[in-house]
Amino acid sequence: EEEYNALTCVQLRAICKQRGLVQKGVKKVIVDRLMKDDKASTPAAAPTPTQAVHSSPQKEDNEEEDIGIILGSPTKVLSSSSAVKTPVKSPAPAASASSSIDNNDQEFQDETHTCHLFEGRSKYLSPSGLHFIANHQYRPSEYTHLDNLLNPFWTYLTECLPLWLAPNMVTTLGGMHCALAYGVMWYYCPDFDTTPPDWVVMLAGYCAFAYYTLDCMDGKQARRTGSSSPLGQLFDHGFDCICTLFFVATFSSYLEIGGTHWYNMLQTSLQFAFFMAQWEEYHTLVLPHNAGKWCGVTEVNYASALGAMCVSLIDREAFFQKSMEDTLAPLGLTGGVVKDMELRHFLLCGWGGMSLILMGLSLQRTLCHPRIAGDDMDASEIRFNRINALSKLASPFLLCVAAFIVPPEFIRTRYLSVVLGCALSLLTKKMIVFSMAKMPYAIIQTDIIPFIFAAIWIRYDTRLTKEGGDFVLGALSIWYAYRLLRWVNVAINQICAKLGIYCFRLKKRDD
């Protein structure tokens, strides 16, 4: 307080103009000083504090800028894209104007940097969250060379779509490809311990290709039909989240790793890495989808599709289950310390290592971002922001740990996969939506509690039979599928009502 009181009105005005002046926490003494300076310089028409707050030039919605004077609570920081666009009112007395600022901020304030231990009333979208969603602008990271190369191809395919087709239907068609392949794979390889027929693996490869291609077309269809909306991001990333189960099932089926902790490692690393990408966007406002110009989600998805098609043509069991010594022998190498390891396990170790690198890069970008560790923040504020950001990883991390508590040989791997996949997908969807809504993401998500208790029960209750363990996980599968669908349904209905649109139709709502 002393530091800001020492600033001159000119300095305060410069800061306001440069940073947009986050309204929350602006103390009356500063507002009064700004008004006094306005009256002294322009006695003919003194602007209100609301005008002073919005005196900086309006920035485009797609520009990224971390703005805000931090006064009072160090956790209230707004970005330019999320600043409330309050209409300029006629001059009013200082007292009433000051109170109107507080009222506006109480209604619409960025809460991404606040710390909540439990969810409380934030399970669904608040009026403030719906306001920010309505003004949300998606900011991806840079594109890779393959993205730029394939962009004309995606554009051409989009132009072949009928103009009456809603963008969310394009996204749903892609998700239906994953659902089809997942269902067929479940029938022929229920617990990832037997190799599926060749045509099933080929189908999975085609569906992976079709899914990602349609995923790249939905945004272009939205711009083509003039129906872009924040709901599209929820649909797009929401389907990406649940479709990770399809990719896990495909890899696990032809690697035959069911009933082992190798499966747990594959699923937890993939879904936790996906959650961390959304966690990074929650704090930095930018969604990462690549690691440089040569490696990104496009390369990974198309490589997965191509890989599935290729392995459908070979003897997968003989190829993936041979030792590294036999694999490297044609190259004149002995294999060294990994010579006795099977090729499938070696590949999974490589995947795990790559996942750890990606997670580490996400941590580094987030914890060093100006919104978390800005140059104008003191050490205690930076420490609080970093601890607060890391604490939001607690719930998905505990879910992943619980998956390793369950003895894999004691239960059906498919049931564990569905429970863990739906639970992590639910947490990730909440992170996606709360990032758009600028709502607080609680440290302890109550949805993790049933699975953690079930994992401990199955692990340590010696009286529980294998059939009993399967029944518990089967019941939890139904519960988490219901919770996921229920939460998504409520969120979509809230967003559609706020934006005045339909989910699968281009026509505007009358209500």
Side-chain angles (χ1 to χ4, degrees):
E1 181 177 0
E2 293 176 358
E3 178 183 356
Y4 283 98
N5 287 338
L7 294 175
T8 65
C9 290
V10 175
Q11 291 171 324
L12 283 171
R13 185 173 302 285
I15 295 175
C16 294
K17 186 174 182 179
Q18 177 185 359
R19 303 188 178 184
L21 184 57
V22 171
Q23 299 176 15
K24 185 62 180 176
V26 175
K27 298 185 178 179
K28 186 175 182 300
V29 60
I30 295 181
V31 176
D32 291 340
R33 289 171 62 191
L34 286 171
M35 288 190 62
K36 187 180 298 182
D37 183 66
D38 285 332
K39 292 178 180 178
S41 58
T42 56
T48 66
T50 304
Q51 291 173 308
V53 166
H54 295 277
S55 61
S56 61
Q58 293 294 326
K59 301 188 73 66
E60 296 295 331
D61 286 339
N62 61 351
E63 291 187 35
E64 179 187 1
E65 179 184 349
D66 294 318
I67 61 175
I69 296 180
I70 303 174
L71 301 175
S73 172
T75 63
K76 301 294 191 295
V77 181
L78 283 180
S79 68
S80 58
S81 63
S82 62
V84 181
K85 296 178 175 59
T86 308
V88 177
K89 301 180 181 179
S90 58
S96 60
S98 178
S99 62
S100 69
I101 292 178
D102 293 336
N103 292 335
N104 286 335
D105 285 327
Q106 290 174 2
E107 185 178 1
F108 304 129
Q109 70 177 33
D110 185 342
E111 297 183 295
T112 54
H113 289 283
T114 59
C115 183
H116 287 200
L117 183 59
F118 296 103
E119 290 179 288
R121 298 181 179 179
S122 62
K123 289 185 177 181
Y124 296 106
L125 294 172
S126 64
S128 175
L130 290 170
H131 166 81
F132 284 116
I133 286 180
N135 293 279
H136 175 75
Q137 292 290 330
Y138 172 57
R139 294 186 182 92
S141 57
E142 63 179 353
Y143 295 104
T144 64
H145 294 300
L146 186 59
D147 290 326
N148 296 325
L149 179 66
L150 293 177
N151 190 60
F153 169 67
W154 296 328
T155 302
Y156 170 77
L157 291 180
T158 304
E159 292 173 352
C160 297
L161 298 176
L163 287 173
W164 52 260
L165 186 62
N168 290 336
M169 275 304 303
V170 179
T171 311
T172 304
L173 288 173
M176 290 173 64
H177 279 81
C178 291
L180 170 65
Y182 185 81
V184 174
M185 193 75 74
W186 189 331
Y187 180 81
Y188 284 99
C189 185
D191 288 306
F192 316 115
D193 52 3
T194 57
T195 184
D198 295 343
W199 70 269
V200 174
V201 181
M202 178 64 77
L203 174 66
Y206 158 74
C207 288
F209 179 86
Y211 150 73
Y212 189 74
T213 301
L214 289 166
D215 188 51
C216 295
M217 293 166 55
D218 53 8
K220 298 181 183 298
Q221 178 72 353
R223 290 185 288 273
R224 180 169 172 250
T225 58
S227 57
S228 299
S229 73
L231 181 62
Q233 180 179 346
L234 169 61
F235 240 76
D236 191 319
H237 298 168
F239 266 105
D240 291 342
C241 176
I242 196 65
C243 285
T244 54
L245 269 179
F246 155 69
F247 286 98
V248 170
T250 301
F251 298 149
S252 302
S253 296
Y254 61 71
L255 293 178
E256 298 180 50
I257 56 175
T260 67
H261 281 307
W262 289 104
Y263 176 85
N264 294 338
M265 188 274 287
L266 175 62
Q267 181 167 353
T268 54
S269 62
L270 180 59
Q271 290 200 273
F272 192 79
F274 190 91
F275 179 89
M276 285 197 66
Q278 312 305 321
W279 169 81
E280 181 175 343
E281 183 187 22
Y282 180 86
H283 291 289
T284 67
L285 308 180
V286 179
L287 178 66
H289 56 70
N290 63 286
K293 283 287 190 178
W294 296 97
C295 182
V297 293
T298 302
E299 289 76 5
V300 172
N301 278 278
Y302 280 147
S304 300
L306 181 61
M309 293 179 183
C310 291
V311 300
S312 68
L313 306 175
I314 64 174
D315 184 348
R316 292 175 296 279
E317 186 171 353
F319 180 76
F320 287 110
Q321 296 185 23
K322 63 182 177 181
S323 66
M324 288 300 298
E325 184 177 15
D326 295 337
T327 303
L328 297 175
L331 301 177
L333 303 175
T334 61
V337 294
V338 298
K339 65 178 182 179
D340 296 327
M341 181 181 290
E342 294 182 2
L343 175 60
R344 56 179 177 173
H345 297 155
F346 180 80
L347 293 175
L348 287 170
C349 287
W351 166 259
M354 184 178 72
S355 298
L356 288 175
I357 293 174
L358 293 175
M359 294 176 197
L361 291 174
S362 181
L363 279 173
Q364 188 272 333
R365 288 191 298 265
T366 303
L367 299 183
C368 296
H369 194 271
R371 283 171 56 89
I372 300 294
D375 294 336
D376 56 346
M377 301 180 186
D378 57 32
S380 62
E381 186 178 335
I382 293 175
R383 182 168 58 253
F384 175 86
N385 288 342
R386 286 176 172 173
I387 294 175
N388 181 43
L390 290 173
S391 69
K392 301 184 190 308
L393 298 174
S395 289
F397 179 77
L398 290 175
L399 276 181
C400 294
V401 171
F404 285 91
I405 294 177
V406 179
E409 69 282 353
F410 190 73
I411 47 88
R412 289 193 60 180
T413 306
R414 177 72 68 170
Y415 289 167
L416 177 63
S417 172
V418 173
V419 173
L420 183 62
C422 289
L424 284 172
S425 294
L426 178 57
L427 298 189
T428 307
K429 283 177 171 57
K430 287 184 179 181
M431 179 60 77
I432 294 170
V433 176
F434 286 4
S435 174
M436 299 165 60
K438 303 190 183 302
M439 288 175 58
Y441 190 88
I443 298 173
I444 303 299
Q445 299 287 319
T446 54
D447 288 302
I448 72 175
I449 296 176
F451 178 62
I452 292 177
F453 280 164
I456 296 174
W457 181 19
I458 295 172
R459 175 77 181 189
Y460 294 106
D461 190 349
T462 57
R463 298 169 298 176
L464 190 66
T465 63
K466 186 181 188 302
E467 290 75 16
D470 289 340
F471 176 81
V472 171
L473 290 180
L476 279 180
S477 298
I478 298 174
W479 165 250
Y480 276 114
Y482 165 76
R483 280 288 299 133
L484 178 62
L485 294 174
R486 168 65 178 169
W487 196 92
V488 170
N489 180 64
V490 171
I492 289 176
N493 286 337
Q494 285 185 288
I495 295 173
C496 286
K498 175 66 178 180
L499 301 179
I501 61 175
Y502 291 102
C503 185
F504 295 111
R505 295 166 58 188
L506 295 178
K507 181 181 177 182
K508 294 288 186 179
R509 290 170 54 152
D510 295 332
D511 55 350

